[in-house]
Amino acid sequence: MEYFGYKGLLASMLRDVGVEPGDFIRITRGDGFTIEGVLMPRYSGGDEPIIVLKLRNGYNVGVRIRGGETIEKAGRVERGEPGAPVPLVEELEVGDKRVFVLGCGGTVASRVDYETGAVKPYLSPEELALSVPEMFKYTSIDVEQLFAVLSEDMKPWMWHKIVEGVARAISMGYDGVVVTHGTDTMSYTAAALSFAFHRGLPVPIAMTGSQRSSDRPSSDAAFNLVSATLVASKAPFAEVAVVMHGESGDTYALVHRGVRVRKMHSSRRDAFQSVNARPLARVWPREGRIEMLEEKFRVRGSELLQVDNGFDEKVALIKHFPGPISEVIDTLVDRGFHGIVVEGTGFGHVSSDAIDSIRRAVESGIPVVAATQTVFGRVNLNVYSTGRKMLEVGVIPVEDMLAEVAYVKLSWVLARTRDMGEVRSLMLSNLAGEISGRHDVKLYPRWDV
Amino acid sequence: MSETKIDYESLGLKVGLEIHQQLDVGRKLFCKCPAILEEGESVSITRYLRPTRSELGDVDPAALFEWRRGRFYEYQSPIKSSCLVEADEEPPHGVNHDALAVAIAVAMTLNSHVFDEIHVMRKVVIDGSNTSGFQRTALIAVGGWLEVNGRRIPIETICLEEDAARKVGEEGAKVVYRLDRLGIPLIEIATAPVIGSPEEARDVALAIGRFLRLTGRVKRGLGTIRQDLNVSIRGGAKTEIKGVQRLELIPKVVHYEVLRQLNLLKVRDELKRRGLREEDITLDPVELTGLLRESKSRVLRRALDSGGVILGLKLPRMKGLLGFEVAPGKRFGSEIADYVRFWSGAGGLIHSDELPGYGISFEELQAIYKALRASPESDAFIIVADDRGRALKALASAVERVKAAFKGVPEETRAANEDGTTRYMRPRPGAARMYPETDIPPVNVTEDLLREAEKIKPEPLNVKLERLTLKHGLSRELALEALSDPRLDLIEKLIEKHHEKIPASVIASIFIVTLRGLKGKGVDVEAIPDERIEELAEAIARGVVAKEAAETILEEAAKNPEKSVDSIIETLGLKTVTEEEAIKIIDETIKANMEEVKAKGHKAAGLIMGRVMEKLRGKMDGRKVSELVKKRLEHHLHPSPEKR
Ligand SMILES: [Zn+2]
């Protein structure tokens, strides 16, 4: 039996006394020691018979119940009705552009209920205006909360929904779309949007998120949101991009192409980096300035909206490892997967004893794509004999495409064709900037020591 | 202001103390960084902190104000002593186990009730001193007491928290902090507000400091212990005073705060006596820019030259009140000015009770009265010169503060100045702005942890006293002094280590006589590392230097903390001399002063001794020198027969 996170005897004890979180309670120990505080729900700490109280001084503490204590209700704390939130600025200036913000999870525009720990997204432009008024400096804003999903729970069918939402906004004439998203899988969704809109995109789609949740004074959420809004409303390009902190400080953000970006750090604000490509632009949200870093881009307003939506759920992304990789491939084939991307070693190799498994996969009509686990650099299966054998059995080496992007692309391709020849041809064509033929010498970040 | 005796008891003085002491457990509280201050290589990070809204939708007005003002922070992140955790780029790690054990040990010794599960909280701070915008703090125990001067002072709470970043500069809207200090574990001990006199406040602070040092697990030196006070008198208000760095200052701070509250109550009474009501104070600013455009006042000129305006505000029937002294050198007008500075950012505020002055002429003064339709006989006014927005804000804040004077003493958080006075810092935070730190799971206080803490529990003072006197033969007087010395742990260690070679009294004297003497002379003895004192004891034990050399060596060590005692001895030529070398010096001295020796006979010993000691001080024990001088004098005056 569980009672607001309390278990066992403690749960029945609290229930018997008739106290609930929010009640003021008094615990008296056998030796006369008493302590009073607001009963808090128990969300962590396991099965220990410990009651969590919020004392009058604001601290939470845990009091162990050993038997012999008495628990009494000593009142109820009336939580005042939330009044009208105080705006951060006295007057809101609103720019002349129109931007649509599509909420797809993450903690970028949300606040936390400290009693339950639940994250509540900001649902209205009014709420956003109160908490991030700087966004409106450049543009008016409309908001739709598509879903509040944890980053790790994002699925290919949700990409489909996001594409629909973004397409709807664009067709309604917005000057740009901001997609808020959890950061862990943001780059997958960015790639999905890139392929879905590769045929025609008239305005920028700026994805953003936060590495520090927006309930903290030090959150990067507002900075990223303002940067993304600036890109969506004013950028000269019409591309799918990820807009996040460019360095640890709150100075500039970087705009990364949706098919070239990877989260390279688990916690830093500047976790997102362009791989095998330069960032598209640098953005100073405070000054309202956008500096282009790439000369070639799809120009805003030069294309008509053309959507090519739909993703195959049954695609696997696996990594080569020294153990029995062939068993993993066999299992995927046996479980009816439609395609496999392998992050191979170095040039894209898998061990030679897996060649037979790959052959079986390709012969069963399951394309096997080789990317590299080195993250940076290009796949090349011509240099060593294992590579040449992989080519012989039909592996598709996807040049300098990121493994995650190859995975999303394969999912998108397989939703259009299962023909091995067409799959190969689409995978090897550069549709959205995911493949480039040339890496100059400086295109690789290194230690500045 | 007359220094009349104040009967604190009849005023209902109540003082509570919050002592923050850095723990010396090697590492920081929530990461693996060493807990050291460092001037080395660092990376700069620029950040802004946003006011966050509480569950009720309200925003801390002070935080909001700072943000609107465009406050930003530059954090220097030193490579050796800070990491991604301090830079707010990585979640905090679990609580430092050793720090927790020390905190529990302290709580157990103070008879406090230790909680069974420790929850780390986030306490919102607005000044940028924490990169996250909040300080992480955990309540370890409640209750307990400490005996001071025969009285039990109740302890309210014992917390374990992280120290804030070190402020190293300020430039316009930017504040510069260094992250080395951020995250150093602090123990916070708060007493109940039961302390009844300024001296008792000091004694309690002293006792808590001494008690904490007994654990041998706390840091020493300037800035490692900080005292906050809360002071109230009957009819006044609870004032929080932050950051009293020196113990000696505590009685003064309390005394001045009592004066301040008494005088603010007098201001209130006088306002009433004059029949004034809050509604009489209204925000009706009058433009004085044109009127004062030709003024010679530098303050006004500066504002006008940068395109600012001059605004004035009449305060009816308040003549003389702004000039009323509320604490030494602090008038009611300065209370208003401090408040205005914080809330408007306006630099200066001039009030009528300090005019003529600031280069404002008598004629200008009359003109201002006229423009404000104020009477020079009964009314007061304030003027502000700044850009229009700020000036308006300044006058609005001034009205707010004057209105508050009708109620007496406002609840405030104030910062201590070096002279014992205080200045407005911010309004007292209402309900504690405290949220759970969801990144750190609660810590179960297990039997193992309690046993571990039990081992760290400091020995009671009487046990130590007994050991120092009975076992080591220290006089009771010296032993008591040793017990209150900040380096008690080192004294004990050295006494134990060298007990066969050096008397305990010699070791104790190095600290109690020599170091304190040097401190009295203005030498920065805090700068002397423990290591040097250990080396000094070692050198004395080995007979390399005489104990008399201690003062010279330590003085040098304070100047060059990096230099080893051996090399100090070398450079200063303090090596002990052999008996033959000493005799040679004595003989030379006697020969050089032969006339006087012959004239005075044995009475010349004093003179010779003096001259000889100039050369031998610190190189040979004084008594030994005296003995040799006598012998050699005898020899020169009455050469022995066999030599004849
Ligand atoms: Zn660290």
Side-chain angles (χ1 to χ4, degrees):
Chain A
M1 181 186 90
E2 210 174 296
Y3 187 67
F4 296 101
Y6 292 97
K7 290 175 189 140
L9 269 179
L10 202 52
S12 41
M13 215 168 147
L14 290 170
R15 194 195 295 264
D16 290 349
V17 182
V19 288
E20 290 184 355
D23 285 342
F24 210 70
I25 67 167
R26 184 182 306 118
I27 303 175
T28 309
R29 256 182 8 197
D31 63 2
F33 174 80
T34 64
I35 185 101
E36 290 181 356
V38 177
L39 178 67
M40 300 296 284
R42 185 154 179 81
Y43 284 109
S44 52
D47 298 339
E48 297 277 341
I50 286 175
I51 289 183
V52 181
L53 295 182
K54 178 178 276 299
L55 307 188
R56 279 181 214 275
N57 59 17
Y59 279 99
N60 289 11
V61 295
V63 179
R64 184 178 293 275
I65 300 303
R66 296 178 165 85
E69 293 85 357
T70 56
I71 301 175
E72 325 156 63
K73 184 166 170 173
R76 176 151 185 96
V77 180
E78 285 312 319
R79 284 182 71 195
E81 278 300 305
V86 177
L88 291 189
V89 292
E90 281 151 355
E91 273 172 66
L92 190 71
E93 14 164 357
V94 181
D96 54 357
K97 303 282 179 188
R98 287 171 69 221
V99 162
F100 193 83
V101 176
L102 191 65
C104 303
T107 56
V108 66
S110 57
R111 59 200 178 93
V112 173
D113 179 332
Y114 285 100
E115 267 188 19
T116 61
V119 177
K120 298 176 188 163
Y122 286 135
L123 291 171
S124 67
E126 290 75 27
E127 278 182 309
L128 264 186
L130 289 171
S131 58
V132 197
E134 308 99 298
M135 286 172 80
F136 292 77
K137 204 161 122 194
Y138 312 114
T139 174
S140 70
I141 284 171
D142 291 308
V143 187
E144 184 194 335
Q145 194 66 33
L146 196 56
F147 30 62
V149 63
L150 294 171
S151 203
E152 60 271 28
D153 291 339
M154 187 60 63
K155 302 287 174 211
W157 66 262
M158 297 178 184
W159 301 339
H160 191 274
K161 292 265 175 218
I162 296 172
V163 170
E164 280 178 353
V166 171
R168 201 163 47 238
I170 295 174
S171 57
M172 283 160 73
Y174 282 91
D175 293 302
V177 180
V178 170
V179 177
T180 67
H181 198 288
T183 56
D184 284 358
T185 55
M186 190 191 295
S187 68
Y188 292 86
T189 304
L193 289 168
S194 302
F195 295 115
F197 289 102
H198 84 279
R199 293 185 193 282
L201 182 64
V203 298
I205 302 171
M207 296 196 69
T208 196
S210 71
Q211 290 280 78
R212 299 281 96 72
S213 60
S214 56
D215 57 303
R216 305 164 182 239
S218 65
S219 171
D220 56 336
F223 177 94
N224 290 337
L225 259 178
V226 177
S227 303
T229 307
L230 178 60
V231 167
S233 57
K234 297 267 170 76
F237 51 81
E239 301 237 9
V240 178
V242 165
V243 184
M244 292 285 287
H245 260 74
E247 55 127 354
S248 180
D250 298 328
T251 50
Y252 63 87
L254 286 173
V255 182
H256 307 276
R257 267 211 175 95
V259 284
R260 284 303 198 180
V261 66
R262 196 169 191 277
K263 185 174 180 181
M264 298 295 278
H265 198 279
S266 59
S267 60
R268 288 180 64 121
R269 288 168 174 73
D270 52 3
F272 284 83
Q273 289 185 25
S274 284
V275 174
N276 291 337
R278 287 192 171 74
L280 203 51
R282 199 195 324 249
V283 173
W284 280 268
R286 244 162 261 287
E287 294 81 357
R289 192 151 62 90
I290 300 174
E291 176 200 4
M292 292 309 299
L293 300 174
E294 272 294 329
E295 289 167 7
K296 278 203 208 152
F297 51 83
R298 293 161 75 186
V299 176
R300 177 193 277 270
S302 64
E303 298 171 8
L304 290 174
L305 176 66
Q306 205 181 334
V307 189
D308 201 347
N309 202 355
F311 300 89
D312 189 317
E313 296 266 342
K314 275 258 177 185
V315 177
L317 169 60
I318 62 171
K319 197 181 190 99
H320 172 80
F321 58 98
I325 182 79
S326 59
E327 289 179 29
V328 177
I329 295 169
D330 289 344
T331 308
L332 291 173
V333 174
D334 294 343
R335 297 296 289 266
F337 272 73
H338 300 163
I340 301 169
V341 176
V342 187
E343 261 185 32
T345 64
F347 280 133
H349 297 131
V350 293
S351 69
S352 40
D353 58 22
I355 299 285
D356 284 343
S357 298
I358 294 174
R359 181 184 290 117
R360 186 170 80 102
V362 176
E363 282 170 359
S364 328
I366 300 168
V368 177
V369 169
T372 174
Q373 51 186 251
T374 61
V375 180
F376 286 90
R378 189 185 306 278
V379 167
N380 190 328
L381 296 180
N382 296 312
V383 180
Y384 297 107
S385 60
T386 305
R388 290 190 289 269
K389 276 183 204 146
M390 287 170 71
L391 288 175
E392 277 165 29
V393 299
V395 166
I396 307 167
V398 286
E399 300 280 335
D400 64 341
M401 205 188 304
L402 276 166
E404 297 86 354
V405 174
Y407 157 75
V408 175
K409 188 175 182 183
L410 186 58
S411 162
W412 178 82
V413 167
L414 287 173
R416 326 220 109 57
T417 175
R418 297 288 295 277
D419 177 273
M420 193 63 83
E422 284 175 21
V423 168
R424 170 180 293 270
S425 148
L426 277 170
M427 285 306 290
L428 294 177
S429 322
N430 178 25
L431 303 181
E434 72 276 18
I435 295 172
S436 76
R438 144 167 212 283
H439 290 182
D440 66 69
V441 182
K442 285 178 79 177
L443 201 65
Y444 180 51
R446 280 177 311 159
W447 293 110
D448 179 20
V449 284
Chain B
M1 175 146 318
S2 61
E3 283 286 319
T4 43
K5 261 256 181 283
I6 291 185
D7 182 356
Y8 296 105
E9 202 187 325
S10 71
L11 289 176
L13 172 64
K14 282 184 180 155
V15 182
L17 284 174
E18 255 181 41
I19 308 286
H20 302 88
Q21 166 76 62
Q22 287 183 353
L23 298 182
D24 189 12
V25 289
R27 310 222 160 249
K28 292 191 178 178
L29 193 52
F30 298 114
C31 67
K32 308 293 178 289
C33 286
I36 51 165
L37 299 186
E38 182 207 342
E39 300 305 330
E41 188 199 348
S42 70
V43 174
S44 266
I45 303 169
T46 301
R47 294 266 174 79
Y48 293 74
L49 290 177
R50 298 177 71 83
T52 48
R53 279 193 267 138
S54 81
E55 274 301 280
L56 296 183
D58 58 336
V59 174
D60 181 346
L64 181 59
F65 176 72
E66 293 285 322
W67 183 75
R68 282 185 185 165
R69 200 146 60 138
R71 240 307 164 244
F72 69 102
Y73 310 97
E74 181 187 316
Y75 295 110
Q76 299 177 350
S77 170
I79 300 302
K80 288 201 185 82
S81 58
S82 72
C83 65
L84 287 184
V85 174
E86 289 93 328
D88 191 46
E89 285 283 39
E90 183 181 316
H93 303 187
V95 185
N96 180 324
H97 182 84
D98 294 347
L100 188 56
V102 174
I104 292 175
V106 165
M108 284 162 54
T109 321
L110 290 173
N111 314 294
S112 304
H113 173 82
V114 178
F115 288 106
D116 302 302
E117 196 174 68
I118 307 298
H119 290 244
V120 180
M121 309 294 289
R122 300 170 175 173
K123 191 195 257 174
V124 174
V125 290
I126 56 145
D127 61 358
S129 61
N130 286 66
T131 46
S132 56
F134 43 74
Q135 179 192 32
R136 298 186 179 96
T137 173
L139 181 62
I140 304 297
V142 289
W145 72 87
L146 181 73
E147 198 166 296
V148 183
N149 301 338
R151 180 176 175 214
R152 271 190 182 183
I153 302 294
I155 302 295
E156 277 190 345
T157 54
I158 298 176
C159 294
L160 181 63
E161 51 192 38
E162 56 180 359
D163 205 345
R166 188 151 66 96
K167 186 170 170 178
V168 294
E170 189 164 0
E171 230 184 283
K174 176 172 88 174
V175 186
V176 186
Y177 286 103
R178 206 167 165 82
L179 299 186
D180 47 3
R181 202 181 69 185
L182 180 60
I184 292 183
L186 286 180
I187 189 164
E188 184 210 80
I189 299 182
T191 73
V194 297
I195 298 165
S197 78
E199 288 69 33
E200 193 181 22
R202 178 201 51 214
D203 291 350
V204 173
L206 190 71
I208 293 176
R210 179 187 303 172
F211 158 75
L212 286 170
R213 283 194 298 272
L214 288 180
T215 60
R217 299 291 202 96
V218 302
K219 289 199 172 248
R220 284 193 302 257
L222 198 69
T224 59
I225 186 162
R226 293 192 296 276
Q227 287 95 13
D228 293 351
L229 309 169
N230 56 70
V231 181
S232 66
I233 58 171
R234 200 173 303 117
K238 193 165 171 179
T239 303
E240 263 181 26
I241 301 170
K242 296 265 177 206
V244 184
Q245 294 244 2
R246 288 183 300 124
L247 277 177
E248 308 89 77
L249 212 55
I250 291 177
K252 222 177 190 178
V253 171
V254 175
H255 174 68
Y256 287 170
E257 179 57 23
V258 171
L259 287 181
R260 197 182 72 91
Q261 296 203 11
L262 281 175
N263 287 320
L264 285 175
L265 294 177
K266 279 187 197 158
V267 169
R268 179 196 63 188
D269 295 345
E270 177 63 17
L271 287 169
K272 278 199 188 135
R273 205 191 57 78
R274 296 187 187 182
L276 279 158
R277 289 165 311 153
E278 263 186 64
E279 306 87 83
D280 297 327
I281 312 300
T282 51
L283 181 57
D284 291 318
V286 174
E287 177 89 45
L288 300 173
T289 316
L291 188 72
L292 296 168
R293 189 164 295 287
E294 302 303 323
S295 177
K296 301 252 178 328
S297 162
R298 297 224 329 261
V299 190
L300 301 183
R301 281 255 62 84
R302 208 182 308 136
L304 289 175
D305 291 348
S306 51
V309 299
I310 304 171
L311 299 182
L313 181 80
K314 170 174 145 183
L315 297 170
R317 283 176 284 152
M318 281 189 63
K319 189 180 172 64
L321 281 176
L322 298 178
F324 184 70
E325 197 174 60
V326 293
K330 293 269 189 173
R331 288 156 207 287
F332 179 51
S334 9
E335 288 264 319
I336 300 173
D338 282 354
Y339 186 84
V340 164
R341 194 170 303 126
F342 180 84
W343 287 105
S344 72
L349 171 154
I350 300 173
H351 61 80
S352 48
D353 288 345
E354 48 189 353
L355 294 178
Y358 290 104
I360 295 174
S361 69
F362 182 75
E363 289 70 31
E364 284 168 339
L365 179 57
Q366 295 312 309
I368 298 172
Y369 273 117
K370 205 168 157 201
L372 295 176
R373 298 168 195 272
S375 147
E377 280 71 47
S378 61
D379 296 337
F381 65 77
I382 51 180
I383 54 180
V384 181
D386 215 309
D387 75 55
R388 184 173 298 276
R390 249 203 308 268
L392 275 171
K393 202 107 197 202
L395 292 182
S397 316
V399 166
E400 232 170 73
R401 180 61 189 86
V402 174
K403 280 177 185 280
F406 285 82
K407 299 194 180 72
V409 187
E411 293 221 332
E412 288 174 356
T413 301
R414 302 181 64 85
N417 296 324
E418 267 302 299
D419 64 355
T421 59
T422 57
R423 62 182 184 279
Y424 180 83
M425 207 171 149
R426 51 167 297 161
R428 274 197 71 207
R433 305 179 63 81
M434 199 98 79
Y435 312 110
E437 171 51 273
T438 43
D439 292 342
I440 302 171
V443 184
N444 200 329
V445 178
T446 59
E447 292 300 321
D448 281 353
L449 184 53
L450 289 173
R451 265 194 297 275
E452 203 177 317
E454 190 70 44
K455 281 185 213 146
I456 310 171
K457 262 172 83 171
E459 227 173 13
L461 275 179
N462 55 351
V463 176
K464 280 188 195 283
L465 183 64
E466 206 161 278
R467 190 174 50 239
L468 288 174
T469 51
L470 297 183
K471 184 176 169 204
H472 296 297
L474 276 192
S475 69
R476 201 182 146 75
E477 208 184 351
L478 211 47
L480 282 173
E481 287 293 338
L483 289 182
S484 69
D485 195 274
R487 304 205 207 213
L488 171 61
D489 52 337
L490 186 60
I491 301 180
E492 289 183 296
K493 179 179 167 188
L494 294 179
I495 286 178
E496 290 288 343
K497 186 171 173 193
H498 298 296
H499 72 276
E500 284 176 353
K501 295 215 167 119
I502 320 177
S505 61
V506 171
I507 299 277
S509 299
I510 292 178
F511 296 85
I512 289 142
V513 182
T514 314
L515 280 177
R516 290 192 196 171
L518 285 171
K519 192 177 179 186
K521 275 170 60 185
V523 175
D524 179 18
V525 295
E526 314 266 2
I528 305 172
D530 281 4
E531 213 184 330
R532 299 293 161 264
I533 305 177
E534 289 187 53
E535 289 167 0
L536 171 64
E538 193 69 43
I540 296 174
R542 279 188 287 124
V544 178
V545 285
K547 64 177 192 292
E548 283 78 5
E551 185 174 336
T552 318
I553 291 173
L554 291 173
E555 190 169 356
E556 182 64 19
K559 277 183 239 153
N560 297 301
E562 301 298 317
K563 205 163 157 187
S564 77
V565 165
D566 277 347
S567 73
I568 291 175
I569 292 172
E570 192 69 46
T571 18
L572 298 185
L574 293 173
K575 260 212 168 72
T576 348
V577 296
T578 61
E579 200 168 311
E580 289 96 271
E581 285 168 320
I583 289 174
K584 205 174 137 209
I585 291 169
I586 293 169
D587 285 353
E588 279 165 12
T589 312
I590 292 175
K591 274 175 201 157
N593 297 281
M594 208 54 197
E595 271 175 41
E596 277 176 81
V597 170
K598 278 184 178 154
K600 286 190 181 171
H602 285 292
K603 284 183 185 147
L607 173 97
I608 301 299
M609 182 68 190
R611 301 264 157 93
V612 168
M613 279 311 279
E614 279 170 23
K615 291 172 185 157
L616 289 181
R617 191 178 313 278
K619 301 182 187 179
M620 182 176 260
D621 187 78
R623 258 173 307 176
K624 179 84 188 163
V625 178
S626 163
E627 205 176 283
L628 287 175
V629 166
K630 274 182 203 149
K631 247 191 220 163
R632 296 311 293 166
L633 218 49
E634 172 67 24
H635 175 84
H636 285 279
L637 290 170
H638 310 284
S640 40
E642 57 268 34
K643 274 232 171 156
R644 214 179 280 174

